[in-house]
Amino acid sequence: MAGTALVVGASGIVGSATAALLVREGWTVLGLARRPVAQEGVRPVVADLQDASATAAALAGETPDAVFITTWLRQNSEAENIRVNAAMVRNLLDGLRPGGSVRHVALVTGLKHYLGPFEAYGKGALPQTPFREEQGRLDVENFYYAQEDEVFAAAARDGFGWSVHRPHTVIGQAVGNAMNMGTTLAAYATLCRETGRPFVFPGSAAQWNGLTDMTDAGLLAKQLLWAATTPAARNEAFNVVNGDVFRWSWMWGRIADWFGVEAAPFDGTVRPLEQQMAGDGPVWRRIAEREGLAEPDLSRLASPWHTDADLGRPIEVVTDMGKSRRLGFTAYQPTDDAFYDLFARLRAERLIP
């Protein structure tokens, strides 16, 4: 049944996809962001979640039934990630408490639940793949765990249900997003075509040869809505991936073909995009001016550091979806189609030529 939803981080990859789905499904949608962008059917709420009093003022009088938390702020250390991002969740839920309307809160985290935070990413004693929800937390500080604890505490106090959603790398469209592999690869392929540089896989042999999976933002939005409206999903954590597996040795050539570039042979050497694209800002600006693109600032489209973290991992990463499948969530999205759909959208919106 449709109600009123508050999407937190509505201008991001996951938030914008979630807001769009909710609008299509007949919900009244509030979109909270520090700098909202225009979204059809979404009423903007301007708030900086780091400021408790300003957040409370922005939310005064708002009575959402469901809240979807799809945002975080990257900091220079995991200790700061924990402090800032836990406070943002706490300030949000404290600001909503006077309305007494919330019946469900969904929190989007990710596979760093199993792989560890950025400072210890893919290191130490990790659970076996495929990752399963019952594997629990690592013995290491992690801002995802801190965010969860804020939701759990507020749910116990205020009586709402919750769900936690753990996607793998998300494919979707947003400008200015900190973790955006799809648009990063689109920009990289465009630059390679422009400059004649080889389209070189930047990551590790483990990622090139091993199995992996990804998460389409639209599919994640569907799981968020399903969990918010399915009693059996109350107070549960769910992995969420597209449902297929692939090897980058296969996917890399398919991406190259879409952009009309030749995929370079992979020799096992890690060549990070953060290094490859370090001087590409002026090149992109020239492309943008010549082609009339909407965003001339490459740093607002590409996040090489995050793509390097994913593609440089020394271990295979595959995610089990059995838990939500057993409860009735059956959405599926071929990952190559998710990339193609994103690339076509970026071209239609004049973000790539």
Side-chain angles (χ1 to χ4, degrees):
M1 181 184 299
T4 299
L6 174 66
V7 179
V8 182
S11 60
I13 291 176
V14 177
S16 60
T18 302
L21 175 64
L22 290 163
V23 169
R24 291 196 300 272
E25 294 295 322
W27 286 65
T28 299
V29 182
L30 314 175
L32 188 149
R34 286 179 297 167
R35 293 179 294 274
V37 297
Q39 296 169 275
E40 186 175 355
V42 178
R43 178 162 64 81
V45 176
V46 181
D48 181 349
L49 296 180
Q50 296 181 85
D51 186 329
S53 60
T55 298
L59 293 172
E62 304 293 3
T63 55
D65 304 291
V67 179
F68 302 91
I69 304 174
T70 72
T71 190
W72 72 290
L73 281 179
R74 185 188 181 197
Q75 306 297 313
N76 291 326
S77 69
E78 192 59 20
E80 278 298 288
N81 277 332
I82 291 168
R83 184 186 68 80
V84 170
N85 289 284
M88 288 167 60
V89 174
R90 183 168 61 251
N91 294 340
L92 169 73
L93 298 178
D94 285 351
L96 288 167
R97 186 182 313 135
S101 63
V102 177
R103 55 178 179 78
H104 185 87
V105 171
L107 172 68
V108 178
T109 62
L111 295 195
K112 287 188 287 298
H113 181 92
Y114 309 107
L115 287 162
F118 291 117
E119 292 177 3
Y121 192 61
K123 301 174 183 176
L126 302 176
Q128 288 186 327
T129 57
F131 294 141
R132 302 177 189 274
E133 294 91 345
E134 62 267 23
Q135 289 168 319
R137 295 179 174 183
L138 302 175
D139 187 20
V140 62
E141 295 296 311
N142 189 322
F143 83 88
Y144 284 170
Y145 307 160
Q147 288 181 307
E148 287 182 344
D149 288 342
E150 294 292 343
V151 171
F152 300 159
R157 179 189 64 223
D158 298 336
F160 57 75
W162 54 265
S163 59
V164 175
H165 303 261
R166 299 171 187 157
H168 198 169
T169 306
V170 177
I171 302 170
Q173 194 272 326
V175 175
N177 194 272
M179 301 191 296
N180 195 339
M181 180 189 284
T183 307
T184 299
L185 294 181
Y188 174 56
T190 300
L191 287 160
C192 288
R193 187 178 62 204
E194 175 77 12
T195 63
R197 284 158 32 195
F199 187 59
V200 176
F201 181 72
S204 67
Q207 294 304 303
W208 181 256
N209 296 313
L211 290 172
T212 193
D213 47 31
M214 293 184 74
T215 306
D216 179 74
L219 183 136
L220 172 51
K222 291 176 182 177
Q223 194 193 62
L224 289 165
L225 178 55
W226 166 81
T229 55
T230 302
R234 182 183 174 95
N235 298 347
E236 297 286 351
F238 299 106
N239 294 332
V240 51
V241 286
N242 288 338
D244 63 348
V245 295
F246 64 92
R247 303 180 199 275
W248 277 104
S249 56
W250 174 80
M251 186 68 77
W252 198 249
R254 296 180 73 78
I255 293 174
D257 288 345
W258 199 94
F259 285 95
V261 297
E262 185 175 350
F266 179 65
D267 64 5
T269 303
V270 176
R271 295 180 171 87
L273 287 180
E274 199 159 26
Q275 296 175 14
Q276 290 195 55
M277 300 176 70
D280 282 339
V283 181
W284 185 266
R285 190 169 293 277
R286 288 198 299 272
I287 296 172
E289 291 173 355
R290 185 186 70 220
E291 303 291 339
L293 301 185
E295 181 52 71
D297 185 351
L298 180 61
S299 69
R300 290 189 37 82
L301 296 174
S303 52
W305 69 274
H306 175 257
T307 300
D308 288 339
D310 276 4
L311 298 184
R313 288 181 300 215
I315 58 172
E316 178 180 270
V317 176
V318 183
T319 314
D320 180 73
M321 279 281 288
K323 185 176 182 180
S324 60
R325 297 286 191 236
R326 290 185 180 95
L327 294 177
F329 180 73
T330 59
Y332 170 80
Q333 171 64 60
T335 301
D336 52 345
D337 286 348
F339 273 122
Y340 300 156
D341 290 347
L342 170 64
F343 299 154
R345 182 178 174 187
L346 294 175
R347 183 166 285 172
E349 297 185 8
R350 303 303 301 157
L351 290 168
I352 62 172

